[in-house]
């Protein structure tokens, strides 16, 4: 008996693919793309195509497990009832001991972006004021930059790029991280459209672009200002600028006064001649699009980098132009009702849009908010009351955070650690209790993308594997147990139907943007939000002035420069002279590993020939890489296309009991507070030293 | 034989994502070790500029299949449309085909102690569908084609790529569109 | 580079000794009527070796229980042909065994037929490796190597088996024959190495061999030492002591086994030389 179901890949990824899954006699046997989805066009990436193996993997945890001692690895299977008793008992005890729920902390992020996974937030909201991780390790500085410039964070439909006559890919590597955009780019090149790829290293996308421009890490903002300067000098400004922008004259003055092309060339590594040619080409070609990636804003000057690129797009008149714009991402299609996580109905759609993952309902509750990027550090500082219980959900902070020694210290101080996950991870080693969760083939869910405009439903395809439960079922069960032990102790619902809960999240705002009459219609298949394909096409912006803001009073009020300016990234020291870049790899999403075959025996440090010569290294030799945060051993690979001052370590699966983040501190980006409540993780500001091992 | 089906691979479009490999594994749920299809990266020394270029190869359904010639149990047959089908039930795991194939495409499954390989999804082809790898290729770099004179005369269609065994050995039913290099402004 | 194919090493070397013994018996019989005891001993030992060889070959298969199917592709598979010829050789051997207990006149023609079938089996064995994909094998060398092993070890085995049954003349001619095989083997190897060197894979094979200590062990023990022992022994006209004969046989045996192992290990096929 064959059956087909609709699913959506829930990962933190541009593409958020719609999936058709096939079962035979209730067993998942294959997955394929859903042809109804016009962006992913019925095709899946290599990672999703591994899903069947992942669902039934021997390594998957199928039952609740209790660890006899943290990091001991002695796990014993327990019943759900015992697990729930342990959790509820701890919650009630701590709340009684401290008189409030603040000792209870939730650290959740993007392991599964499904809306029903917000049940975890809902459960914690139901406990009272608790401690939460907020912000994002990913994109905060860029989101704020675009919010200052455009008023909110929005991008064109990715298909709009198909109208471009010139495409600049700036620090983005879709060949590895957004592969469904590649056909559009390749077809554009077939039509003679020039695709220019700016990156710090020769990526798989750079290899397929018409031009590759190598930029020194962290200097993208300066390069954008250099281009802007040429546009000013050559008098190629958009003649309509005055009608829709604010502060362009001051910005032009800044460019004339402070930006020197020779200096710009020296710092960025791009020759003056190239800067001039590219700037003129960009200003004269209409429409011309820039797609800015996330990596260029993971610096201490990350927000400025993106603001400078936004300003370049505006000066040349490409903002609001069909096939133009500066594309970064969007959250406008995420206007779910927010009932599940306990949002107050009066909250604005903007804040419902989950930009802040813990919107505050000040009438009843004020949570203690800790930056997700400095969580351990800030949690250690909490004393009144201290953080005593931690629930980790959809996250692997002991692999993905910086300053891991602070995590070790925090773990020592915590009474109880619960983790809900599919597999053991570096973080589960520290947990007292492991709750097995379902995959997206085993529960109902609702998904939107931060890149394309499609929203859709995920149906359960198979029964939960083992005794796994969805986050929503877990939240209900915990609330049920709490109320059983102490009636009235948790305001979160104690049970329900997943499907009904899902339909409630499709509220009036969502129905309107999707053009649906009833929530049930979304069950028929993925739906594209009915936004115009071009962001800001009428050039009416959401900024306080309603204009594109070269000069932003809001930025100034936050203690930032009003205009996009060049701020240098951090410099290497004599002790740690090399920058470490850790780009995403095609086979992983952060610590989520897909293709088991590609697991490497060793970390591979990719070096340019110059760096290799300086350290007298050959390909294949073992090196020790260290800084004040930690050290890693690995193998050297010399390649011709890497930056001269950096070492590249892809986020590939490696058989190692140390994560690559052992080398990371927690430098913060310059922006992120405005939209996400905390600055981002400037992880490209990591410096190391290395030496040969014999 | 009335025709010869085969693959046309475009290295200009292939991004090396291994979607084809995984689509094959998804379709047949094969074990991790045998790789019916495999993505290879072209060697840098074969091109004038640093490359990140790939080609993808499964069984080439050769016109002169060496696997078929040497197999002692007639596990291999060549269909009218040129597809070389390996009958898993007949295979006794002598691995002679592994020695004979210049492309290493018959793969030994250590768990089942038998050889297996790409059968060009003949059951899908018989239903008028594309092979799983071709259907899954996001940049449409991999195509199912009929290998014939007309194809070989098309501009830019190559019979081989640097790093591949000579096609004279088995006359593989695969053609290539070679990689193209863009302009690079590099700092080295 | 190939792998250590133990089942194939045992199978090929033992089957070649076995057939070498039958051919040797035929040779002796052509000169003088064979003594019954020698004939019986030779046939029994040859048969035991052949059975061990065939048994060993099964271990190479993933599914030995289905080995019977291996005979179904006589049209183009040398492996099928090899199995067929070895089965026929075995049938021939069964008749020889019957003859050794019921002496009758047709001994020589039976030996001849079994020898021809056996040699066809050896040639088929060698032809399996004549693969365009493996330049080091894609020539007549495998056929020569395999037949030389049969000639060399078959003759030496017979000398030892024969013992006192053999006339000094017969013994001497067998030892001369073995000496000739060694000289031809060395000559063939030099010719082989210099001809396959012309392409990259062949050159890799030669380079692997010449830089492998095992190869030099093989050359020293299997060629040079027996060559010297045989030359000295044959020249001095002295009767070889049994222990010297055992030593020569052991040296040559070890040499041939190593040589066969290296045959498999040193084979370099044409590969996709891209990164992956």
């Amino acid at each position: 008996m064959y059956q087909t179901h609709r699913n959506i890949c829930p990962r933190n990824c541009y593409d958020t693919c719609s999936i058709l899954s096939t079962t035979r006699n209730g067993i998942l046997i294959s997955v394929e793309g859903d042809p109804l989805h016009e962006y992913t066009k019925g095709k899946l990436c290599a990672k999703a195509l591994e899903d069947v193996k992942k669902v039934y993997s021997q390594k998957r945890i199928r039952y609740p497990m209790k660890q006899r001692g943290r990091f001991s690895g002695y796990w014993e299977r327990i019943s759900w009832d015992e697990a729930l008793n342990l959790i509820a008992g701890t919650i009630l005890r701590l709340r009684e001991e401290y008189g409030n729920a603040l000792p209870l902390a939730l650290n959740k992020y993007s392991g599964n972006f499904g809306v029903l996974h917000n049940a975890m937030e809902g459960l914690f909201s139901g406990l009272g004021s608790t401690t939460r991780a907020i912000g994002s390790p990913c994109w905060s500085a860029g989101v704020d930059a675009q919010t200052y410039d455009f008023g909110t964070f929005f991008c064109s439909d990715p298909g709009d790029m198909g109208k471009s006559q010139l495409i600049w890919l700036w620090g983005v590597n879709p060949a590895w991280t957004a592969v469904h955009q590649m056909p559009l780019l390749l077809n554009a090149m077939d039509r003679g459209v020039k695709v220019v790829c700016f990156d710090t290293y020769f990526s798989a996308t750079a290899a397929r672009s018409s031009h590759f421009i190598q930029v020194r890490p962290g200097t993208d903002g300066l390069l954008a200002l250099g281009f802007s300067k040429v546009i000013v000098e050559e008098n190629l400004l958009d003649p309509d600028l005055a009608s829709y922008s604010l502060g362009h004259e001051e910005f032009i003055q800044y460019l004339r006064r402070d930006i020197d092309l020779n200096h710009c060339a020296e710092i960025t590594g791009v020759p003056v001649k190239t800067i001039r040619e590219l700037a003129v080409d960009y200003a004269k070609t209409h429409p011309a699009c820039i797609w800015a990636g996330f990596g260029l804003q993971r610096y201490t000057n990350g927000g400025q980098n993106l603001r400078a690129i936004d300003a370049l797009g505006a000066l040349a008149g490409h903002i609001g132009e069909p096939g133009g714009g500066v594309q970064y991402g969007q959250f406008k299609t995420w206007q779910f009702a927010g009932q599940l996580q306990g949002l107050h109905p009066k909250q604005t759609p903007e804040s419902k849009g989950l930009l802040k993952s813990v919107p505050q309902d000040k009438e009843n509750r004020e949570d203690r908010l800790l930056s997700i990027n400095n969580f351990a550090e800030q949690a250690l500082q909490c004393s009144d009351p201290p953080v005593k219980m931690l629930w980790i959900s959809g996250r692997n902070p002991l692999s993905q955070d910086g300053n891991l020694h602070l995590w070790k210290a925090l773990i020592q101080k915590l009474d109880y650690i619960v983790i809900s996950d599919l597999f053991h991870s570096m973080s589960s080693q520290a947990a007292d209790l492991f709750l097995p969760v379902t995959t997206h083939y085993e529960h109902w869910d609702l998904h939107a993308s931060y890149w394309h405009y499609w929203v859709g439903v995920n149906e359960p395809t198979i029964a939960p594997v083992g005794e796994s439960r969805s986050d929503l079922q877990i939240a209900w069960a915990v609330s049920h147990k709490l109320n059983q032990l102490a009636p009235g102790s948790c305001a979160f619902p104690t049970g329900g139907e997943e499907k009904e809960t899902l339909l409630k999240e499709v509220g009036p705002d969502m129905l309107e943007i999707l053009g649906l009459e009833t929530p049930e219609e979304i069950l028929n298949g993925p739906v594209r939000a009915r936004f115009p394909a071009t962001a800001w096409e009428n050039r009416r912006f959401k900024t306080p002035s309603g204009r594109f803001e070269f000069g932003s009073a809001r930025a100034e009020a936050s203690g930032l420069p009003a205009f996009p300016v060049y701020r240098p990234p951090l410099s290497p020291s004599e002790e740690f002279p090399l920058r470490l870049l850790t780009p995403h790899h095609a086979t992983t999403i952060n610590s989520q590993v897909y293709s088991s075959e590609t697991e490497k025996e060793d970390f591979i440090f990719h070096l340019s020939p110059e760096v290799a010569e300086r350290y007298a290294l050959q390909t294949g030799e073992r090196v020790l890489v260290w800084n004040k945060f930690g050290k890693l051993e690995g193998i050297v690979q010399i390649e011709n296309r890497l930056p001269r001052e950096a070492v590249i370590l892809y986020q590939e699966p490696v058989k190692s009991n140390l994560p690559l983040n052992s080398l990371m501190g927690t430098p913060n980006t310059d922006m992120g507070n405005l939209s996400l409540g905390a600055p981002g993780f400037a992880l490209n500001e990591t410096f190391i030293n290395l030496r040969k091992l014999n | 034989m009335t025709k010869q089906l085969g693959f046309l691979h475009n290295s200009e479009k292939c991004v090396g994502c291994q979607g084809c490999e995984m689509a094959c594994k998804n379709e047949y749920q094969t074990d991790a070790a045998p790789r019916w299809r495999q993505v290879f990266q072209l060697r840098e020394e074969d091109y004038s500029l640093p490359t990140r270029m790939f080609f993808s190869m499964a069984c080439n359904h050769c016109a002169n299949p060496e696997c078929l010639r040497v197999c002692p149990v007639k596990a291999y047959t060549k269909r009218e449309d040129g597809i070389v089908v390996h009958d898993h039930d007949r295979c006794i795991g002598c691995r002679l085909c592994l020695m004979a194939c210049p492309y290493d495409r018959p793969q030994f499954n250590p768990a089942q102690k038998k050889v297996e390989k790409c059968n060009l999804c003949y059951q899908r082809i018989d239903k008028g569908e594309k092979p799983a790898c071709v259907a899954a290729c996001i940049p449409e770099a991999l195509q199912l084609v009929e290998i014939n004179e007309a194809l070989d005369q098309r501009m830019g269609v190559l019979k081989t790529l640097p790093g591949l065994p000579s096609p004279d050995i088995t006359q593989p039913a695969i053609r290539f569109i070679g990689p193209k290099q863009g302009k690079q402004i590099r700092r080295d | 580079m190939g792998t250590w194919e133990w089942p194939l090493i045992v199978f090929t070397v033992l089957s070649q000794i076995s057939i070498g013994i039958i051919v040797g018996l035929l040779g002796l019989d052509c000169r003088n009527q064979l003594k019954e005891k020698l004939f019986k001993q030779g046939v029994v030992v040859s048969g035991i070796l052949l059975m061990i060889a065939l048994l060993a070959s099964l271990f190479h298969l993933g599914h030995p229980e289905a080995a019977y199917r291996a005979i179904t592709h006589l049209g183009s598979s040398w492996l099928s042909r090899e199995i067929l010829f070895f089965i026929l050789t075995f049938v021939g051997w069964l008749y020889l065994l019957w003859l050794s207990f019921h002496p009758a006149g047709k001994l020589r023609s039976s030996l001849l037929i079994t020898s021809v079938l056996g040699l066809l089996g050896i040639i088929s064995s060698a032809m399996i490796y004549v693969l365009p994909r493996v330049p080091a094998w894609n020539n007549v060398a495998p056929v020569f190597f395999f037949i030389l092993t049969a000639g060399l070890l078959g003759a030496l085995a017979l000398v030892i088996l024969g013992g006192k049954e053999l006339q000094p003349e017969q013994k001497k001619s067998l030892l001369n024959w073995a000496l000739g095989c060694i000289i031809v083997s060395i000559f063939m190897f030099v010719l082989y190495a210099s001809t396959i060197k012309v392409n990259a894979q062949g050159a890799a094979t030669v380079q692997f061999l010449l830089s492998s200590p095992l190869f030099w062990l093989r050359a020293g023990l299997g060629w040079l030492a027996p060559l010297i022992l045989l030359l000295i022994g044959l020249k001095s006209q002295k009767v070889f002591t049994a222990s010297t004969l055992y030593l020569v046989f052991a040296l040559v045996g070890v040499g041939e086994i190593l040589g066969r192992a290296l045959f498999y290990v040193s084979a370099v096929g044409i590969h996709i030389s891209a990164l992956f």
Side-chain angles (χ1 to χ4, degrees):
Chain A
M1 240 313 257
Y2 291 91
Q3 275 188 311
T4 306
H5 291 87
R6 290 186 192 289
N7 306 86
I8 294 190
C9 183
R11 305 298 166 221
N12 184 346
C13 169
Y14 284 95
D15 294 13
T16 310
C17 299
S18 283
I19 299 172
L20 293 179
S21 57
T22 305
T23 57
R24 189 171 57 205
N25 302 326
I27 306 288
L28 180 65
I29 57 162
S30 77
V31 295
E32 61 191 313
D34 183 346
L36 280 184
H37 194 282
E38 287 166 22
Y39 181 63
T40 53
K41 293 193 170 73
K43 292 178 182 182
L44 299 177
C45 78
K47 298 183 281 275
L49 287 164
E50 183 91 351
D51 274 357
V52 177
K53 283 215 167 64
K54 206 173 167 178
V55 166
Y56 295 116
S57 166
Q58 288 302 309
K59 288 185 183 161
R60 194 163 155 201
I61 308 298
R62 289 162 159 78
Y63 308 99
M65 307 278 265
K66 189 168 78 174
Q67 189 169 212
R68 225 184 286 166
R70 289 178 190 162
F71 299 102
S72 72
Y74 289 110
W75 289 93
E76 56 183 280
R77 177 178 165 183
I78 58 173
S79 68
W80 270 103
D81 195 54
E82 188 181 349
L84 295 167
N85 269 319
L86 286 167
I87 294 169
T90 309
I91 290 174
L92 292 173
R93 176 176 61 75
L94 289 170
R95 221 166 45 173
E96 194 175 313
E97 191 176 327
Y98 291 93
N100 59 50
L102 287 172
L104 313 172
L106 175 66
N107 190 324
K108 171 175 171 281
Y109 194 56
S110 66
N112 186 314
F113 256 155
V115 170
L116 295 199
H117 287 70
N118 292 340
M120 287 311 300
E121 282 90 343
L123 172 67
F124 271 67
S125 296
L127 295 169
S129 297
T130 55
T131 302
R132 308 287 187 93
I134 59 154
S136 154
C138 174
W139 61 356
S140 317
V143 171
D144 265 16
Q146 294 224 311
T147 307
Y148 289 127
D149 296 335
F150 302 112
T152 188
F153 165 51
F154 191 45
C155 67
S156 298
D157 183 306
D160 194 55
M161 219 180 272
K163 299 174 199 149
S164 306
Q165 289 302 311
L166 174 67
I167 300 171
W168 279 15
L169 303 174
W170 203 321
V172 67
N173 182 11
W176 279 9
T177 58
V179 68
H180 289 86
Q181 195 73 17
M182 288 308 289
L184 188 148
L185 298 170
L186 294 163
N187 293 339
M189 280 190 282
D190 283 350
R191 292 195 311 270
V193 170
K194 199 189 290 171
V195 173
V196 183
C197 181
F198 299 82
D199 214 323
T200 54
Y201 72 106
F202 191 69
S203 67
T205 305
R208 265 151 211 90
S209 302
S210 334
H211 288 232
F212 166 55
I213 311 294
Q214 193 168 26
V215 188
R216 186 192 303 264
T219 66
D220 307 86
L222 181 60
L223 184 60
L225 295 170
F227 290 139
S228 293
K229 167 109 177 178
V230 174
I231 290 174
V232 171
E233 281 179 1
E234 301 285 333
N235 214 3
L236 294 167
L237 296 167
D238 178 15
D240 297 335
L241 258 189
S243 69
Y244 65 87
S245 72
L246 184 73
H248 69 282
E249 278 148 356
E250 289 100 314
F251 179 60
I252 289 167
Q253 265 179 21
Y254 164 74
L255 294 173
R256 285 194 200 279
R257 192 183 59 231
D258 288 349
I259 299 298
D260 172 67
L261 284 187
N262 289 317
H263 172 254
C264 174
E266 192 188 318
I267 300 290
T268 61
V270 183
V272 173
K273 185 167 162 281
T274 310
I275 297 177
R276 285 196 175 281
E277 284 170 5
L278 288 169
V280 169
D281 191 28
Y282 178 68
K284 285 189 171 168
T285 311
H286 289 274
C289 161
I290 294 176
W291 179 6
F294 299 140
L296 62 86
Q297 52 93 56
R298 290 182 186 136
Y299 292 88
T300 50
N301 62 357
Q304 291 301 335
N305 285 338
L306 194 56
R307 285 204 71 198
I309 293 172
D310 288 345
L312 166 66
L315 275 190
H318 293 312
I319 305 296
E321 176 181 76
V326 176
Q327 315 301 342
Y328 180 71
Q330 60 89 18
F331 241 61
K332 241 179 133 170
T333 54
W334 292 63
Q335 296 180 31
F336 303 105
Q339 283 193 11
L340 188 57
Q341 77 249 56
L343 283 192
H344 196 275
K346 271 183 284 181
Q347 280 178 314
T348 62
E350 224 69 77
S351 61
K352 272 189 212 167
L354 293 181
L355 275 179
K356 284 187 177 146
S357 59
V358 193
Q360 293 301 293
D361 169 6
K362 298 209 171 161
E363 285 168 37
N364 306 312
R365 214 178 72 238
E366 190 149 15
D367 291 323
R368 179 163 62 185
L369 306 178
L370 310 182
S371 162
I372 199 165
N373 299 316
N374 301 71
F375 184 84
E377 184 187 348
Q378 293 179 7
L380 281 166
Q381 284 162 9
C382 293
S383 57
D384 189 24
V387 174
K388 297 307 281 182
M389 173 179 168
L390 173 64
W391 193 316
I392 299 169
S393 168
R395 277 221 79 201
N396 186 5
L398 269 74
S399 160
Q400 299 307 106
D401 278 4
N403 269 327
L404 290 171
H405 66 281
L406 295 178
W407 263 104
K408 295 271 158 68
L410 176 62
I411 288 159
Q412 299 268 318
K413 297 210 160 176
L414 293 171
D415 275 12
Y416 208 62
I417 303 174
V418 180
I419 192 162
S420 33
D421 210 331
L422 294 163
F423 298 93
H424 273 309
S425 67
M426 289 192 176
S427 304
S428 75
Q429 291 175 12
D432 300 297
L433 188 64
F434 189 113
L435 302 180
V437 298
T438 44
T439 65
H440 52 291
Y441 297 99
E442 299 149 60
H443 57 234
W444 284 97
D445 219 332
L446 188 55
H447 294 268
S449 155
Y450 54 73
W451 179 237
H452 59 66
Y453 290 179
W454 290 78
V455 177
V457 160
N458 180 82
E459 302 169 337
T461 305
I462 54 171
V465 169
E467 290 180 3
S468 61
R469 295 186 183 182
S470 69
D471 277 4
L472 177 55
Q473 289 165 338
I474 292 173
W476 281 335
V478 170
S479 182
H480 180 76
K481 180 59 79 180
L482 281 164
N483 282 296
Q484 200 177 40
L485 296 175
S489 60
C490 181
F492 190 74
T494 55
E497 288 292 325
E498 282 189 343
K499 189 172 168 185
E500 270 171 40
T501 312
L502 176 158
L503 292 171
K504 279 188 199 151
E505 288 298 307
V506 186
D509 298 335
M510 203 64 185
L511 289 177
E512 192 192 325
I513 66 170
L514 296 179
L516 301 180
E517 298 286 321
T518 64
E520 283 75 13
E521 289 171 51
I522 201 164
L523 299 172
N524 299 333
V527 186
R528 183 186 173 281
R530 295 197 306 180
F531 298 132
T534 306
W536 315 116
E537 69 171 355
N538 51 18
R539 290 182 170 167
R540 277 200 294 276
F541 297 91
K542 298 270 188 188
T543 50
S545 63
R547 292 163 168 257
F548 177 88
E549 295 194 353
F550 287 100
S552 164
R554 283 202 289 181
E556 208 164 21
S558 314
L560 294 161
F563 293 89
V565 294
Y566 176 56
R567 290 278 183 268
L570 296 183
S571 307
S573 61
E574 229 167 83
E575 201 182 354
F576 303 112
L578 293 165
R579 189 184 291 274
L580 179 71
L581 299 177
T582 52
H584 282 122
H585 193 265
T587 56
T588 59
I589 291 180
N590 301 315
S591 68
Q592 291 176 325
V593 173
Y594 293 86
S595 179
S596 44
E597 294 151 56
T598 50
E599 198 169 58
K600 295 275 191 298
E601 292 294 325
D602 256 309
F603 286 105
I604 298 175
F605 296 99
H606 300 257
L607 314 182
S608 66
E610 295 87 348
V611 175
E613 200 186 325
R614 218 179 310 153
Y615 290 86
L617 291 166
Q618 307 277 336
T619 289
E621 287 181 333
R622 282 195 82 74
V623 282
L624 179 73
V625 170
W626 81 96
N627 59 17
K628 59 186 172 182
F629 303 105
K631 57 188 175 186
L632 289 181
E633 279 185 33
I635 303 281
V636 164
Q637 186 164 330
I638 301 169
E639 282 170 48
N640 271 324
R641 49 210 169 190
L642 305 182
R644 273 177 290 185
E645 61 287 277
V647 169
I648 291 191
L649 177 54
Y650 297 113
Q651 293 187 33
E652 283 181 276
V654 178
K655 289 177 190 154
S656 161
N657 45 20
L658 287 176
L660 69 86
N661 280 30
S662 307
L663 297 168
M664 304 269 175
T666 48
N668 281 336
T669 57
D670 50 352
M671 299 181 196
N673 276 307
L674 177 70
S675 335
L676 292 131
F681 190 176
L683 48 86
N684 288 334
E685 302 273 31
T686 300
F687 298 92
I688 50 135
N689 203 340
L690 58 83
R691 71 178 165 82
K692 190 181 340 190
L693 288 174
N694 295 317
Chain B
M1 207 173 64
T2 52
K3 63 175 176 183
Q4 174 70 57
L5 289 178
F7 294 105
L8 175 64
H9 183 267
N10 187 334
S11 293
E12 221 176 290
K13 291 196 187 289
C14 174
V15 298
C17 74
Q18 297 182 301
C20 47
E21 268 192 53
M22 289 300 145
C24 177
K25 287 206 176 295
N26 173 61
E27 181 83 8
Y28 298 99
Q29 291 301 322
T30 51
D31 294 341
R35 292 167 84 174
W36 294 6
R37 177 167 281 286
Q38 191 169 350
V39 174
F40 296 85
Q41 186 171 351
L42 286 166
R43 291 192 303 179
E44 295 207 11
E45 52 265 44
D46 294 326
Y47 291 89
S48 56
L49 285 166
T51 53
R52 231 174 228 282
M53 295 296 174
F54 305 88
F55 66 88
S56 166
M57 190 173 270
C59 172
N60 291 319
H61 304 278
C62 304
N64 288 330
E66 275 284 285
C67 53
L68 185 151
R69 179 180 73 85
V70 302
C71 177
V73 297
K74 273 193 185 160
Y76 292 90
T77 45
K78 196 161 174 68
R79 305 204 322 170
E80 280 295 297
D81 55 8
I83 300 177
V84 176
V85 178
H86 177 258
D87 179 350
H88 199 248
D89 290 341
R90 279 197 75 77
C91 180
I92 58 171
C94 79
R95 286 167 286 164
L96 196 46
C97 48
L98 269 68
M99 287 191 195
C101 173
Y103 305 97
D104 291 305
R105 286 349 295 165
Q107 300 252 309
F108 190 65
N109 182 329
Q112 300 184 6
K113 296 188 160 83
K114 283 188 179 194
V115 171
E116 48 190 57
K117 76 164 190 84
C118 154
N119 287 334
L120 223 162
C121 290
Y122 68 85
Q123 69 285 42
R124 286 174 65 112
I125 287 187
D126 291 345
K127 282 192 281 181
E129 293 170 15
K130 288 175 182 171
C133 52
V134 171
C137 180
I138 292 171
E140 295 180 351
L142 192 63
Q143 284 176 275
L144 178 72
V145 290
E146 225 180 281
I147 304 288
N148 53 30
E149 198 77 356
L151 177 70
D152 283 330
Q153 278 164 7
R154 241 170 73 185
M155 266 274 283
V157 172
L158 307 170
K159 284 193 170 177
T160 187
L161 286 175
L164 282 179
S166 160
D168 297 341
I169 303 175
T170 59
Q171 297 183 28
I174 185 167
R175 296 294 183 268
F176 304 93
I177 293 172
K180 207 164 57 180
Q181 281 286 343
K183 188 173 162 190
Q184 302 185 7
I185 308 286
R186 295 187 292 135
R187 297 171 55 221
D188 53 32
Chain C
M1 219 46 72
T3 47
W4 288 83
E5 302 278 0
W6 281 113
L8 295 181
I9 295 164
V10 172
F11 165 67
T12 56
V13 173
L14 293 192
S15 65
Q16 284 152 24
I17 303 176
S18 158
I19 287 155
I21 290 172
I22 302 289
V23 176
L25 288 175
L26 175 68
L28 292 178
D29 193 52
C30 288
R31 294 207 171 173
N32 327 72
Q33 185 83 39
L34 262 181
K35 289 196 179 164
E36 245 175 66
K37 195 178 170 196
L38 177 61
F39 176 68
K40 193 181 274 178
Q41 268 177 345
V43 167
V44 168
V45 169
S46 166
I48 290 169
L49 290 174
L50 188 61
M51 284 187 276
I52 296 172
L54 289 171
L55 197 67
S57 74
L58 293 178
F59 284 91
H60 174 69
L61 299 181
H63 289 264
E65 76 283 356
Y68 65 91
R69 281 208 291 271
I71 203 166
T72 52
H73 199 197
L74 294 168
S76 73
S77 172
W78 282 104
L79 182 50
S80 281
R81 294 168 191 168
E82 176 199 43
I83 305 297
L84 175 70
F85 284 125
F86 274 114
I87 289 170
L88 293 176
T89 306
F90 188 71
V91 173
W93 173 82
L94 282 176
Y95 185 63
L96 289 177
L97 187 69
W98 189 81
L99 281 180
S100 69
F101 288 96
H102 308 86
K106 289 179 187 154
L107 189 118
R108 190 170 300 169
S109 51
S110 310
L111 274 172
L112 178 67
I113 291 169
T114 312
S115 296
V116 169
L117 289 170
L119 285 170
L120 286 172
I122 292 177
I123 290 168
S124 302
S125 276
M127 287 304 291
I128 291 171
Y129 302 104
V130 181
L131 299 168
R133 189 268 173 103
V134 187
W137 290 347
N138 195 26
N139 48 52
V140 291
V143 176
F144 272 93
F145 289 152
F146 283 20
I147 287 179
L148 282 167
T149 301
L152 179 53
L153 282 171
L156 289 174
L158 259 185
V159 175
I160 290 171
L161 282 176
K164 290 181 186 128
E165 303 291 321
L166 280 177
Q167 293 151 13
E169 271 314 293
Q170 287 178 310
K171 196 181 257 183
K172 199 178 160 192
S173 64
L174 282 172
L175 289 173
N176 268 324
W177 170 257
L179 180 66
C181 283
I182 292 177
I183 293 166
V184 175
S185 289
I186 296 171
F187 176 73
M188 273 305 298
F189 180 80
V190 174
L191 191 69
Y192 168 72
S194 51
T195 40
I196 65 167
K197 252 189 350 197
V198 295
N199 61 57
Q201 291 79 18
T205 297
V206 174
Q207 207 213 329
F208 172 84
L209 285 175
L210 297 186
S211 59
S212 162
L214 280 182
F215 171 75
W216 294 108
L217 196 65
R218 181 260 184 283
L221 294 183
W223 287 337
L224 204 62
L227 183 77
I228 292 166
L229 287 172
L230 285 174
L231 275 177
I232 294 170
L234 286 166
K235 201 167 180 191
S236 63
Q237 302 282 329
K238 272 190 226 151
V239 185
F240 279 91
T241 59
S243 55
T244 318
L245 285 174
Y246 279 117
L247 178 65
V248 172
F249 182 79
L251 287 171
V252 172
V254 169
E256 288 305 298
I257 285 169
L258 277 179
R260 190 56 44 84
L262 288 165
F263 173 81
Y264 290 108
V265 175
S266 70
V268 178
I270 296 172
H271 280 278
I272 298 174
S273 67
L275 305 166
F276 53 91

